[in-house]
Amino acid sequence: MSTVTMLRARRDDGVREKFVRSAASLGTAASLGTAEFADWLAGRRLAHHFRVERVPFAQLDGWSFAPDTGNLAHRSGRFFTIEGISAETGTAPFPHWEQPIIRQPEVGILGLLAREFDGVLHFLMQAKMEPGNRNLLQLSPTVQATRSNYTKVHRGADVKYIDHFVRPGRGRILADVLQSEHGAWFLGKSNRNMIVETDEDVALDDDFCWLTLGQIGELLRRDNVVNMDARTVLACVPTGQADEGALHSDLDLRSWFSGVRARQDVRVTRKPLAQVADWVRGPSGIEHEDGRYFRVVGVSVEADSREVGGWSQPLIEPRGTGVTGFLTRRFGGVPHLLAHARMEAGLLDTVELAPTVQYTPGNYAHLTGGLRPPFLDGVLAAEPARVRYEAVHSEEGGRFLNAESRYLFVEADESEAPLRPPPDFCWATPAQLNELVQHSRYVNVQARTLLAVLNSGAVTL
């Protein structure tokens, strides 16, 4: 091993040890104990004025439907648009469909600022209001901003702490990777997920607090507290866990995944929103004629804690609560997760690794027999003794309204999750998935939520 390689290995081990110590630190932190967190968050909610009201499309300030395409866009030409796509897979139960989708080609920043206090790494977390969250205020990363926001297209206030992530030399980069967002509702959307360590004194804004990774894990056991953007960044924590005893080598796992991607014959084309089949536009919503999947709606927002105090925008509102979970088994004493190479029309590479189950059950209630999603019924029927983790988490509250999923780890046996699963499924260790998360477009955002649960110590398999 060369001297350079040895030094890099020692550096990586030192970084991983920082996260291990932080995950083991529970209950207390530099600025806020876990027991006091609920009161602190309630206090931040009372300190501000928030209001979200549904409005018809005609009352969306700055937004309009283009006369030629019917696409819903902002007059600035920035932020995002609601457009249409047509997807062809040729496979049951949905060989072809069309739908509205969010197109937001700019890359945002999801950044966690880290600093050691008394030898323990802490993360600067923000109590952030997002209009789509059912409880409005949740724990977000230090920075959660689209390029339009941090370049101030809205002509509002600066994004707090943004310099730590956009100015070179402000800190030590612990993680930095482009990751996809929801492939069912975004077209080609990705964000830069970053963790940056600083040794500077950082002025603590009233809406921010320092928490250890272990404390965040404690909060991940609670419903609707830690937001999606924080969870995806926490999934990028380099755990450095050994993968001895994995059923498949890293190379075999990647080869299987590449094979699934290669044989997927998916064609996704953009089309004008006005021409999307099976969807109906009314004064206050765009919805599927069967009443399934989701609606596009409009909201008017007031929030005095945000960079601008008021705005309006469209949001996607799903029909029902999702069920998202990994089936788990031990092989040779080593925990494994049953990963699904899942096709989603909005993903840049079409297929990413997803949890075993990732569905909104109501969207599939009309299907029977072999058309039912694999493993869904088993997860829905799982007795409590087999559920190792369960919590309801919100999806991206800046673009989705009341979008929630039950996230689970469910123990299984051979009858429920066979050693040789269907072709689009494969057993992988958490360490193997964590290694793939260090690269772009391998692990989808829902699977990253469940990896964040593991990385933070919210559950041990």
Side-chain angles (χ1 to χ4, degrees):
M1 183 182 294
S2 70
T3 302
V4 171
T5 302
M6 292 176 61
L7 290 173
R8 185 178 295 119
R10 289 172 186 165
R11 177 187 181 278
D12 290 345
D13 288 344
V15 169
R16 291 165 181 150
E17 181 58 31
K18 285 175 180 284
F19 289 111
V20 170
R21 287 198 305 270
S22 186
S25 180
L26 307 175
T28 59
S31 66
L32 185 68
T34 310
E36 292 80 46
F37 176 81
D39 288 342
W40 177 81
L41 189 64
R44 299 324 306 154
R45 186 176 291 111
L46 292 173
H48 297 291
H49 168 69
F50 301 133
R51 184 190 65 82
V52 178
E53 178 185 0
R54 292 175 186 257
V55 297
F57 293 130
Q59 293 183 23
L60 291 178
D61 182 24
W63 294 83
S64 62
F65 292 96
D68 53 344
T69 63
N71 293 344
L72 184 54
H74 193 264
R75 63 187 168 215
S76 67
R78 301 291 295 275
F79 303 113
F80 62 94
T81 55
I82 306 291
E83 303 183 5
I85 59 168
S86 173
E88 295 186 29
T89 67
T91 58
F94 304 114
H96 171 260
W97 75 92
E98 297 183 3
Q99 66 170 91
I101 201 163
I102 298 172
R103 183 168 180 265
Q104 186 176 343
E106 62 183 25
V107 175
I109 291 178
L110 307 178
L112 274 176
L113 189 62
R115 188 184 177 198
E116 284 193 352
F117 295 93
D118 297 326
V120 177
L121 201 64
H122 288 61
F123 303 91
L124 188 58
M125 308 298 293
Q126 177 183 182
K128 187 179 182 70
M129 180 273 190
E130 293 181 287
N133 291 337
R134 196 180 298 278
N135 58 348
L136 294 183
L137 202 65
Q138 295 188 14
L139 205 58
S140 85
T142 318
V143 165
Q144 177 183 320
T146 65
R147 180 178 293 274
S148 292
N149 282 344
Y150 68 78
T151 59
K152 300 204 290 184
V153 171
H154 49 51
R155 299 180 182 177
D158 291 332
V159 174
K160 295 181 177 70
Y161 306 108
I162 186 67
D163 281 356
H164 291 277
F165 302 93
V166 297
R167 282 181 52 191
R170 284 298 301 270
R172 178 188 186 191
I173 295 174
L174 304 183
D176 191 354
V177 61
L178 287 176
Q179 298 288 10
S180 62
E181 290 210 29
H182 294 73
W185 299 328
F186 277 114
L187 182 62
K189 178 72 171 70
S190 60
N191 280 320
R192 190 177 178 187
N193 289 229
M194 303 179 70
I195 304 175
V196 175
E197 183 182 11
T198 183
D199 57 8
E200 299 177 12
D201 290 330
V202 178
L204 189 63
D205 184 276
D206 289 342
D207 289 326
F208 291 74
C209 64
W210 291 103
L211 297 174
T212 67
L213 185 55
Q215 285 184 293
I216 298 170
E218 292 176 301
L219 297 175
L220 278 167
R221 300 186 190 119
R222 306 178 188 180
D223 293 347
N224 285 325
V225 172
V226 181
N227 82 353
M228 186 219 77
D229 299 282
R231 301 192 306 265
T232 180
V233 180
L234 292 169
C236 300
V237 166
T239 63
Q241 297 168 325
D243 62 355
E244 289 87 355
L247 279 175
H248 309 286
S249 70
D250 292 350
L251 179 58
D252 286 344
L253 179 63
R254 292 195 303 270
S255 178
W256 162 79
F257 183 55
S258 297
V260 175
R261 274 184 169 172
R263 69 173 179 264
Q264 284 283 351
D265 185 17
V266 181
R267 292 176 295 280
V268 178
T269 56
R270 292 166 59 192
K271 68 182 303 180
L273 182 61
Q275 297 178 19
V276 172
D278 303 326
W279 291 78
V280 180
R281 183 179 122 194
S284 300
I286 303 170
E287 51 195 311
H288 194 270
E289 60 185 14
D290 292 335
R292 290 194 288 267
Y293 311 120
F294 60 86
R295 305 173 67 219
V296 180
V297 299
V299 294
S300 174
V301 184
E302 295 175 6
D304 60 11
S305 64
R306 295 290 296 265
E307 291 82 17
V308 292
W311 71 93
S312 59
Q313 67 172 93
L315 292 170
I316 281 182
E317 181 181 29
R319 302 280 196 173
T321 300
V323 174
T324 302
F326 273 118
L327 290 177
T328 75
R329 289 184 65 183
R330 283 181 171 265
F331 299 102
V334 178
H336 284 68
L337 308 173
L338 186 57
H340 180 200
R342 179 184 174 92
M343 188 281 296
E344 294 182 288
L347 296 175
L348 285 170
D349 286 328
T350 309
V351 176
E352 292 188 6
L353 293 174
T356 320
V357 164
Q358 180 191 311
Y359 303 102
T360 301
N363 292 338
Y364 301 85
H366 62 295
L367 301 178
T368 58
L371 295 179
R372 295 282 295 166
F375 304 107
L376 173 60
D377 293 331
V379 169
L380 292 175
E383 57 270 21
R386 293 199 293 117
V387 177
R388 297 294 306 276
Y389 171 87
E390 180 177 5
V392 174
H393 294 304
S394 296
E395 305 304 332
E396 216 280 86
R399 297 292 178 265
F400 312 138
L401 180 62
N402 299 328
E404 298 171 317
S405 290
R406 287 176 58 219
Y407 280 90
L408 306 110
F409 286 103
V410 179
E411 290 181 343
D413 58 23
E414 178 66 21
S415 65
E416 295 150 344
L419 174 63
R420 293 179 175 81
D424 290 348
F425 293 80
C426 187
W427 290 103
T429 66
Q432 288 178 311
L433 293 183
N434 183 265
E435 175 59 29
L436 290 175
V437 169
Q438 310 307 312
H439 308 278
S440 300
R441 302 202 292 271
Y442 272 96
V443 180
N444 80 354
V445 68
Q446 288 88 349
R448 294 199 304 272
T449 278
L450 289 165
L451 287 181
V453 168
L454 293 176
N455 290 349
S456 64
V459 67
T460 302
L461 299 180

